[in-house]
Amino acid sequence: MNLGQELAAALPMFRAQAESRMTESIRAGVYTDGVDGSGNPTYVLVGDYVYEGPARVKYPGNAVRSAVAASQVVAQQDVVVSIPVQYPSLFPGEDVLPGDEVIPSVAVLLHEGTTIEVVSSTSDPLLVGRFYQVSGAPDMGQVTATRYRVTELS
């Protein structure tokens, strides 16, 4: 066996371990600005969600930098949202590994501008209700999670 084959054989286990560390539940889709029943500004979903499921919201460092936006100085911090890499599947709902009780869907790709809402979190309740927007292409390859750089909206 060579290293590539060993890595490919181990990836499902590594992906399962990575998913077990994903303590947030998110919904992703196209949102627009709106107003809730109390007259407060909020985001309103346009169409259907493109992803609903487990995720990990991570602030990789404590470094905060200032930036000028609309003549105001604001603080910015790097944020990464990771979603699990799903096993390749030809059809949505296909059981790729019978008996594992996991039926993956076709791989998800969140495009730049997609808005992410944190619905729940078992590790940080302060993340719930926050919105983020995908800033660009994800880090991908032979990985355990697809990592998106995002900008916090609220």
Side-chain angles (χ1 to χ4, degrees):
M1 215 179 215
N2 67 31
L3 182 59
Q5 290 172 330
E6 291 174 8
L7 179 60
L11 268 177
M13 178 192 63
F14 294 148
R15 289 176 176 159
Q17 289 177 352
E19 189 169 344
S20 73
R21 296 180 55 215
M22 295 186 182
T23 57
E24 284 75 50
S25 178
I26 65 166
R27 295 187 289 215
V30 177
Y31 287 75
T32 186
D33 292 335
V35 178
D36 67 12
S38 303
N40 298 318
T42 188
Y43 297 101
V44 178
L45 179 69
V46 177
D48 296 323
Y49 294 112
V50 294
Y51 177 78
E52 290 183 81
R56 182 175 183 209
V57 178
K58 183 178 179 187
Y59 289 77
N62 293 330
V64 177
R65 62 189 177 284
S66 60
V68 176
S71 300
Q72 297 180 358
V73 178
V74 295
Q76 289 184 331
Q77 189 173 17
D78 292 333
V79 185
V80 174
V81 173
S82 302
I83 63 172
V85 169
Q86 299 169 346
Y87 299 105
S89 177
L90 297 176
F91 305 101
E94 176 186 3
D95 192 357
V96 178
L97 298 173
D100 69 353
E101 299 179 6
V102 175
I103 299 177
S105 61
V106 175
V108 175
L109 179 64
L110 304 181
H111 298 283
E112 184 173 351
T114 301
T115 301
I116 295 169
E117 174 187 7
V118 179
V119 179
S120 67
S121 176
T122 58
S123 65
D124 187 354
L126 294 177
L127 291 174
V128 177
R130 290 191 183 189
F131 287 85
Y132 301 89
Q133 191 168 57
V134 176
S135 302
D139 295 335
M140 297 172 53
Q142 284 190 321
V143 295
T144 57
T146 306
R147 295 166 183 87
Y148 294 91
R149 296 204 182 278
V150 297
T151 304
E152 187 170 359
L153 298 177
S154 65

